[in-house]
Amino acid sequence: GGAFHDSLVIAEGTPSADGEDARLENLYKGGDGEKEELKEDDAGRVDYRTMSAFKGVKEGQLLVKKYPPTEGTIGVDVYGEESRPKPGKDVVVTAGKNVQVSPDGTEFFAVTSGHVVISGKSIRIDNILEHKGNVDYEIGNINFDGTVIIHGSVEEGFVVRATGDVFVEAISRGFVESGGNIVVEKGILGTPDTYVRAAGDITAKFVENSNLYSEGNILVAEAILHSN
């Protein structure tokens, strides 16, 4: 066999590095469906009803931070010529209703309290929270600064609190508190413990085994049974 010789470097280049794409960071907890952390009681038990898939934001809160794309690093090939990198792609995002963007376009703030909605390329805040389904273990309690619309029922032991009106299909042994009116499309079925409380009117088709508190009127279309 022949002898091995060390290789000789004739020319060496510096590789280019492509730019990074722009990215968005959500700074409001729960905005992307993330559930809040559950707490144990003194006995080590967890009440899963206290979790909430909906978390409102407050006026002035920083919602989203945008990190712009980078251009990348220019390299040099073995002939001494520049090797051009590929720049990162930008992300287009605009401020919708009740959202203000910083002058440099990188920070999006809440103008009012409410619920964050990201629709397509726009970020907005609604003061109406709409849920298509029951208030149960899947989403947990709702505590919202605004109006709540529930296309379903408030299930046993779960709580809905709203500073505005509450519109709900039914209340099934659940608790509802409203700073406005409560409108129940069907009925309110409670237990000796459950209650429905409104600063305005309470409207329902029927009421059974419930405690109703209203600073306005209680309007029931059919019957009230075993209730206060």
Side-chain angles (χ1 to χ4, degrees), residues 162-197:
T163 59
D165 296 334
V166 175
F167 299 87
V168 61
E169 272 187 21
I171 300 173
S172 181
R173 301 181 177 88
F175 301 81
V176 178
E177 295 182 358
S178 168
N181 301 317
I182 297 174
V183 178
V184 185
E185 183 182 338
K186 297 174 183 175
I188 301 172
L189 179 62
T191 70
D193 297 326
T194 58
Y195 62 84
V196 176
R197 189 191 308 270

Side-chain angles (χ1 to χ4, degrees), residues 7-12 78:
S7 59
L8 179 65
V9 177
I10 303 297
E12 190 172 13
V78 294

Side-chain angles (χ1 to χ4, degrees), residues 16-61:
S16 62
D18 288 342
E20 294 182 0
D21 293 343
R23 63 185 178 90
L24 303 176
E25 182 183 7
N26 287 353
L27 298 172
Y28 56 95
K29 191 172 182 182
D32 53 0
E34 175 190 353
K35 292 182 173 62
E36 62 190 49
E37 190 175 338
L38 297 171
K39 294 183 174 64
E40 295 182 354
D41 61 15
D42 294 337
R45 295 170 300 195
V46 172
D47 185 356
Y48 288 94
R49 290 171 300 193
T50 62
M51 72 179 183
S52 180
F54 301 109
K55 191 167 182 67
V57 297
K58 299 296 183 185
E59 179 183 345
Q61 185 173 337

Side-chain angles (χ1 to χ4, degrees), residues 80-208:
E81 300 291 332
E82 281 190 353
S83 175
R84 306 296 298 183
K86 189 162 77 173
K89 296 178 181 177
D90 198 8
V91 173
V92 177
V93 59
T94 60
K97 185 181 72 172
N98 296 323
V99 173
Q100 186 174 27
V101 63
S102 62
D104 63 1
T106 63
E107 293 181 326
F108 295 79
F109 295 90
V111 175
T112 184
S113 58
H115 175 58
V116 179
V117 178
I118 296 182
S119 177
K121 299 174 181 177
S122 177
I123 303 169
R124 73 174 191 268
I125 294 181
D126 288 344
N127 56 2
I128 297 176
L129 174 61
E130 189 168 5
H131 172 59
K132 296 181 179 178
N134 297 333
V135 177
D136 53 19
Y137 284 103
E138 185 178 348
I139 70 157
N141 297 334
I142 292 176
N143 192 344
F144 186 66
D145 187 1
T147 293
V148 173
I149 302 172
I150 300 165
H151 300 280
S153 65
V154 182
E155 296 294 300
E156 184 171 1
F158 288 88
V159 181
V160 173
R161 293 188 180 94
T163 59
D165 296 334
V166 175
F167 299 87
V168 61
E169 272 187 21
I171 300 173
S172 181
R173 301 181 177 88
F175 301 81
V176 178
E177 295 182 358
S178 168
N181 301 317
I182 297 174
V183 178
V184 185
E185 183 182 338
K186 297 174 183 175
I188 301 172
L189 179 62
T191 70
D193 297 326
T194 58
Y195 62 84
V196 176
R197 189 191 308 270
D201 297 342
I202 299 174
T203 305
K205 200 169 187 180
F206 69 86
V207 180
E208 187 174 343

